[in-house]
């Protein structure tokens, strides 16, 4: 009886596994135990429509998916994590992820986003907590679209936003992201931050802001940024925030640094160097007069030294002193 029960149980497991295999999209891998679906480098042009309902993590990377929209993800209420990196996605339509009411993590890194609908990231209930857009923006227009999408997306629950590696030179708004804890702006094209951008960062409060590995120009225009670094409540990766130009300040840390004083030292060094060059030039033009003056000074010094030597000999030899006095009285 026990053997029969075991066989029945195993048969049920095999039947369930077979049914789950039938549900798995063609070319993808489905793992019921970990509730994961992987479609990696399968040359897909659209998001598979037969993803099992049990899936919580969906990994679709290395494909040729040009566009995603509300039809891309349907009946996937259990999904909490979606990785869509390196799929050459260029367009996100309105409410692309609205069916994913439990989505917590979304990775869109390494794509070519050029068109982003203002409501592309809008999800009922604002469940999204982490959004990775590293190296995902194709051009400046995409940044403008993204700024609008972030504002209209209702991302009040977002905790981490990664915008690294997007060649950003201007900063957008982060209004409505009251729960944000980490903002990654590393490896972009920021040379400094204007007053309005610093105010925007200041509104984020005491969060972690990553600003390193940007080509900062350490001129007078960066003073406000330096002051903000020294006074901000935010936790900044200050060791990585360094000057890229000019060459005299390359790799100089901006945090807790009196940049004005360093600039003054550089200017003083240049002035002293210029004065030294002028002095050497004047000496060269008057080299004959200088030679005569040096000879005269040498002769004068020699006369003085001979006088001191003569007096020393008189003081050290009493007989010589007596002979001099005798000759004096004879005269």
């Amino acid at each position: 009886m026990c053997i029969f029960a075991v066989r029945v149980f195993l048969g049920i497991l095999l039947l369930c596994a077979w049914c789950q295999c039938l549900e798995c999209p063609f070319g993808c891998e489905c793992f019921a135990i970990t509730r994961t679906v992987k479609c990696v480098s399968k040359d897909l042009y659209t998001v598979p429509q037969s993803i099992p309902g049990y899936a919580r993590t969906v990994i679709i990377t290395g494909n040729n998916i040009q566009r995603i929209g509300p039809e891309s993800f349907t009946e996937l209420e259990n999904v909490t994590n979606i990785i869509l990196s390196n799929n050459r996605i260029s367009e996100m339509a309105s409410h692309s992820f609205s069916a994913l009411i439990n989505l917590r993590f979304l990775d869109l890194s390494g794509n070519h986003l050029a068109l982003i609908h203002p409501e592309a990231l809008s999800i009922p209930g604002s469940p999204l907590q982490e959004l990775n857009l590293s190296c995902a923006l194709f051009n400046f227009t995409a940044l403008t679209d993204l700024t609008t999408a972030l504002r209209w997306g209702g991302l009040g629950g977002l905790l981490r936003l990664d915008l690294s590696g997007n060649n950003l030179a201007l900063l957008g708004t982060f209004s409505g992201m009251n729960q944000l804890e980490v903002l990654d702006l590393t490896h972009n094209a920021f040379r400094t931050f204007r007053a309005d951008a610093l105010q925007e960062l200041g509104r984020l409060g005491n969060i972690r802001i990553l600003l390193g590995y940007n080509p900062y120009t350490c001129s007078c225009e960066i003073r406000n940024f330096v002051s903000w670094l020294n006074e901000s409540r935010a936790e900044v990766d200050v060791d990585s925030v360094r000057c890229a130009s000019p060459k005299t300040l390359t790799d100089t840390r901006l945090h807790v640094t009196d940049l004005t004083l360093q600039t003054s030292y550089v200017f003083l060094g240049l002035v002293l160097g210029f004065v030294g060059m002028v002095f050497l030039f004047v000496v060269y033009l008057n080299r004959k007069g200088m030679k005569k003056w040096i000879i005269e000074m040498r002769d004068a010094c020699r006369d003085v030294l001979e006088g001191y030597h003569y007096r020393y000999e008189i003081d050290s030899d009493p007989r010589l002193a007596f002979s001099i006095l005798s000759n004096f009285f004879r005269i």
Side-chain angles (χ1 to χ4, degrees):
M1 184 67 180
C2 293
I3 297 175
F4 176 76
V6 171
R7 289 179 177 177
V8 171
F9 178 72
L10 291 175
I12 294 173
L13 288 179
L14 290 173
L15 179 62
C16 292
W18 179 73
C19 292
Q20 289 173 354
C21 289
L22 290 179
E23 293 179 1
C24 193
F26 177 76
C28 298
E29 299 176 278
C30 299
F31 306 92
I33 296 177
T34 58
R35 299 187 179 185
T36 302
V37 175
K38 296 176 62 177
C39 307
V40 179
S41 301
K42 299 300 180 180
D43 200 29
L44 300 176
Y45 289 92
T46 59
V47 176
Q49 293 299 299
S50 55
I51 296 176
Y54 63 78
R56 288 189 177 180
T57 299
V58 177
I59 304 173
I60 304 174
T61 64
N63 294 289
N64 294 298
I65 303 172
Q66 299 293 318
R67 178 186 180 276
I68 54 174
E71 72 283 353
S72 300
F73 303 98
T74 58
E75 300 180 359
L76 293 175
E77 294 83 2
N78 294 321
V79 171
T80 58
N81 306 297
I82 288 186
I83 300 176
L84 297 171
S85 59
N86 301 302
N87 282 307
R88 300 182 181 179
I89 299 172
S90 60
E91 180 182 356
M92 287 199 304
S94 175
H95 295 90
S96 293
F97 309 97
S98 59
L100 305 172
I101 58 176
N102 289 306
L103 186 62
R104 300 288 186 271
F105 173 79
L106 176 59
D107 184 352
L108 290 165
S109 62
N111 283 293
H112 303 153
L113 295 175
L115 297 174
I116 304 174
H117 192 277
E119 295 182 320
L121 298 172
S122 181
I123 304 174
S126 304
L128 196 61
Q129 296 181 353
E130 185 169 350
L131 177 59
N132 186 354
L133 289 165
S134 176
C135 303
L137 303 182
F138 183 70
N139 50 28
F140 181 76
T141 303
L143 172 61
T144 305
D145 290 350
L146 176 63
T147 301
T148 305
L150 292 176
R151 187 188 303 117
W152 290 16
L155 302 176
L158 196 65
L159 301 178
R160 183 184 179 94
L161 177 60
D162 189 344
L163 294 173
S164 62
N166 282 302
N167 201 35
L168 303 179
L170 297 175
L171 194 64
T173 182
F174 304 102
S175 60
M177 301 181 192
N178 301 324
Q179 304 298 321
L180 198 63
E181 296 178 355
V182 179
L183 174 62
D184 192 341
L185 295 172
T186 59
H187 297 285
N188 279 294
F190 295 111
R191 296 186 179 276
T192 186
F193 290 95
R194 300 182 305 186
D196 56 343
L198 294 176
Q199 290 178 359
E200 188 68 31
L201 292 176
R203 294 190 188 99
L204 297 176
N206 56 341
I207 72 168
R208 179 164 174 75
I209 304 179
L210 305 177
L211 299 173
Y213 307 105
N214 282 289
Y216 296 110
T217 300
C218 294
S219 61
C220 295
E221 297 178 358
I222 208 170
R223 291 180 182 176
N224 291 336
F225 178 42
V226 175
S227 299
W228 182 86
L229 285 175
N230 295 331
E231 300 170 3
S232 174
R233 296 179 298 162
E235 181 184 350
V236 183
D237 55 335
V238 292
D239 288 337
S240 301
V241 181
R242 297 173 179 267
C243 302
S245 62
K247 291 184 178 180
T248 53
L249 295 176
T250 299
D251 205 37
T252 300
R253 286 179 53 186
L254 291 180
H255 182 60
V256 193
T257 300
D258 191 347
L259 193 62
T260 303
L261 182 60
Q262 288 196 9
T263 305
S264 299
Y265 283 148
V266 173
F267 179 74
L268 178 60
L270 292 174
V271 170
L272 291 177
F274 178 75
V275 171
M277 291 178 63
V278 171
F279 174 76
L280 292 175
F281 183 70
V282 172
V283 170
Y284 175 77
L285 293 178
N286 296 275
R287 58 188 182 278
K288 294 182 178 179
M290 290 294 297
K291 182 178 180 180
K292 181 180 179 182
W293 178 78
I294 292 173
I295 293 174
E296 292 177 351
M297 287 295 296
R298 183 194 62 187
D299 294 340
C301 291
R302 182 183 297 171
D303 293 339
V304 172
L305 291 175
E306 288 180 352
Y308 278 113
H309 181 71
Y310 183 68
R311 291 181 182 178
Y312 173 77
E313 289 181 347
I314 294 176
D315 294 338
S316 59
D317 191 351
R319 291 176 300 176
L320 183 59
F322 179 76
S323 175
I324 295 174
L325 288 174
S326 298
N327 292 331
F328 174 77
F329 285 114
R330 286 177 184 176
I331 295 173

